[in-house]
């Protein structure tokens, strides 16, 4: 690595370290994700509410992590089932199980911005979202209609949240418990709309609430808003068990990665990233120098020559000169066909002329060689001297051919 390359590398690492430090130490923006999970301390988590209910109800506070349909199969399940989330959409089978459980004298408390159509249709309800034509943002004001709380001023959610309300209810059987409106200039409610009702179901009752933000950390810890949350829960029977639903939560924890322990801690996370960066730099700058040498693979040896000598020696030891001569002639004719591209079926003057022109030999030399070959082919026996002469003449003939440009 040259000196200039080292300088560039050091500058790059310095800038990268500075960026990582700035990213790790900068103030994180507020997370407004609608989690409603008991484990989240973010504004729209329910860590504070869960802690308060657990402290208030003690052993009567029970958490349920399974789907409600499975929970309702349990025996001696009596009390109040508490659902708080930004969206709750039960399927029809689960809704039927919930309503059947409520009919025998239990209570369901459901707070969500959006409720499933099957629940609304069953209870003959319709919901809409309020639109504030005077201001772009909609900061909700909430209040209960009970005479005990009527003299109190509304509670203000100082954040832009949707204001959902019941546009149609069954006034013959359902009771209005709370209203909401949009904050305009003061905390005085203008055009209040129903956002909290109670509906009797058999021997039990179901509470429906459309502003779950009042149960969040953000609302409870703001000013005296915790009073309103306590007032809403005052409608529940404090002697019953409270079943806290952990299943229908947007912020429900789903652990997939085995690195969650490292990545959930900011310091461990950046240490892990630096380790990966170090490994990458090591591979880039050291990998080429430390790579394993490539072994030399020797090509397979050509044993044709040794094999030929062995076979020829066998024939010579037995003095089979005639057979050796026939093999030499056959190989020579194969050489004429493949090297000179001349057919050997007919040996005539045209054949001799073509062989002479392509081999670099004279036509007379070619004729003499093939005349000698024909002489040996017609003889019954071949002497050792004739075999050597054949070998020499073929060798000289090929030498001129192989040396021809």
């Amino acid at each position: 690595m040259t000196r200039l390359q080292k300088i560039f590398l050091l500058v790059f690492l310095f800038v990268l370290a500075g960026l990582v430090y700035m990213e790790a130490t900068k103030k994180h923006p507020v997370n407004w994700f609608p989690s409603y999970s008991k484990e989240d301390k973010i504004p729209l988590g329910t860590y504070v509410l869960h802690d308060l209910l657990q402290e208030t109800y003690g052993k009567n506070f029970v958490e349920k992590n399974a789907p409600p349909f499975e929970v309702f199969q349990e025996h001696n399940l009596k009390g109040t089932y508490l659902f708080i989330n930004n969206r709750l959409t039960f399927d029809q089978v689960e809704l039927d199980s919930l309503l059947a459980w409520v009919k025998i004298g239990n209570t369901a408390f459901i707070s969500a911005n959006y409720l499933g159509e099957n629940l609304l249709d069953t209870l003959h309800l319709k919901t809409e979202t309020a639109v504030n034509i005077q201001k772009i943002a909609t900061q909700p004001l909430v209040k209960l209609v009970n005479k005990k709380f009527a003299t109190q001023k509304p509670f203000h959610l100082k954040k832009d949240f949707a204001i959902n309300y019941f546009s149609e209810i069954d006034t013959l059987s359902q009771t209005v418990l709370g209203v909401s409106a949009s904050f305009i200039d003061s905390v005085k409610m203008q055009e209040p709309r129903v956002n909290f009702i109670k509906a009797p179901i058999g021997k039990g009752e179901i509470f429906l609430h459309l502003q779950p933000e009042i149960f969040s950390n953000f609302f409870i810890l703001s000013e005296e808003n915790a009073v309103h949350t306590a007032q809403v829960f005052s409608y529940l029977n404090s002697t019953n068990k409270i079943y806290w639903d952990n299943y229908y939560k947007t912020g429900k924890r789903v652990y997939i990665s085995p690195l969650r322990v490292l990545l959930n801690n900011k310091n461990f996370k950046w240490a892990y990233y630096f380790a990966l960066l170090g490994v990458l730099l090591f591979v880039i700058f050291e990998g080429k120098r430390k790579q394993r040498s490539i072994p030399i693979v020797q090509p397979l040896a050509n044993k044709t020559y040794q094999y030929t000598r062995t076979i020829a020696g066998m024939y010579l030891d037995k003095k089979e000169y005639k057979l050796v001569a026939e093999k030499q002639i056959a190989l020579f004719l194969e050489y004429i066909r493949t090297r000179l591209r001349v057919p050997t079926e007919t040996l005539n003057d045209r054949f001799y002329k073509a062989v002479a022109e392509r081999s670099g030999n004279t036509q007379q030399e070619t004729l003499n060689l093939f005349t000698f070959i024909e002489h040996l082919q017609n003889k019954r026996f071949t002497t050792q001297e004739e075999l050597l002469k054949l070998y020499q003449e073929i060798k000289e003939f090929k030498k001129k051919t192989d040396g021809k440009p």
Side-chain angles (χ1 to χ4, degrees), residues 275-289:
L276 290 181
L277 178 62
V279 172
L280 177 62
L281 293 176
F282 176 82
V283 171
I284 293 175
F285 295 103
E286 295 293 330
K288 293 183 179 180
R289 299 182 181 182

Side-chain angles (χ1 to χ4, degrees), residues 269-280:
K269 179 173 67 175
W270 285 110
Y272 173 69
Y273 290 158
F274 269 117
L276 290 181
L277 178 62
V279 172
L280 177 62

Side-chain angles (χ1 to χ4, degrees), residues 75-314:
H75 298 291
N76 300 323
L77 185 74
K78 296 180 180 180
T80 301
Y81 213 124
L82 188 60
F83 297 93
I84 300 174
N85 199 33
N86 65 321
R87 179 183 293 272
L88 283 169
T89 53
F90 303 106
D91 60 45
Q92 193 59 49
V93 176
E94 195 163 57
L95 177 61
D96 292 341
S97 300
L98 172 63
L99 296 179
W101 182 73
V102 172
K103 282 182 181 180
I104 61 177
N106 297 298
T107 303
F109 186 96
I110 301 174
S111 180
N113 295 121
Y114 303 98
L115 300 174
E117 290 295 330
N118 51 358
L119 174 59
L120 296 175
D121 291 342
T122 302
L123 299 179
H124 308 291
L125 300 170
K126 287 187 179 180
T127 62
E128 293 184 16
T129 301
V131 178
N132 187 356
I133 60 175
Q134 299 183 38
K135 298 180 70 173
I136 297 177
T138 55
Q139 296 184 3
L141 295 173
V142 292
K143 186 179 180 180
L144 298 179
V145 298
N146 191 296
K147 293 181 180 180
K148 294 180 180 180
F149 317 123
T151 58
Q152 293 181 347
K153 65 180 182 179
F155 294 87
H156 185 195
L157 280 83
K158 298 180 180 180
K159 183 68 178 175
D160 185 12
F161 293 120
I163 301 176
N164 299 296
Y165 63 94
F166 294 103
S167 57
E168 291 184 18
I169 66 173
D170 186 355
T171 56
L172 295 178
S173 60
Q174 297 168 357
T175 306
V176 176
L177 301 179
V179 293
S180 63
S182 178
F183 174 82
I184 299 178
D185 297 320
S186 65
V187 292
K188 184 178 180 180
M189 301 187 76
Q190 301 179 20
E191 298 183 11
R193 296 178 172 89
V194 178
N195 77 329
F196 184 25
I197 65 171
K198 179 178 69 173
I201 306 291
K203 297 180 181 180
E205 53 192 8
I206 183 170
F207 293 88
L208 296 178
H209 188 272
L210 296 181
Q211 204 72 54
E213 291 85 3
I214 73 165
F215 303 108
S216 66
N217 302 326
F218 168 72
F219 183 82
I220 296 175
L221 296 177
S222 299
E223 300 176 356
E224 298 180 358
N225 291 340
V227 174
H228 179 69
T229 305
Q231 291 173 354
V232 171
F233 279 123
S234 67
Y235 285 99
L236 304 179
N237 190 337
S238 60
T239 61
N240 289 345
K241 282 190 175 182
I242 296 290
Y243 298 100
W244 173 279
D245 172 65
N246 284 323
Y247 183 78
Y248 281 111
K249 299 292 183 185
T250 305
K252 181 173 61 176
R253 296 291 190 268
V254 179
Y255 295 116
I256 298 176
S257 172
L259 297 174
R260 61 183 180 273
V261 176
L262 291 176
L263 300 180
N264 284 341
N265 183 286
K266 182 177 69 174
N267 298 322
F268 283 157
K269 179 173 67 175
W270 285 110
Y272 173 69
Y273 290 158
F274 269 117
L276 290 181
L277 178 62
V279 172
L280 177 62
L281 293 176
F282 176 82
V283 171
I284 293 175
F285 295 103
E286 295 293 330
K288 293 183 179 180
R289 299 182 181 182
K290 301 295 179 65
Q291 65 178 256
R292 186 178 58 184
S293 60
I294 301 175
I296 299 175
V297 179
Q298 297 292 343
L300 296 175
N302 188 351
K303 302 293 184 178
T304 305
Y305 178 72
Q306 290 86 341
Y307 173 76
T308 304
R309 289 195 61 180
T310 301
I311 298 301
M314 292 172 60

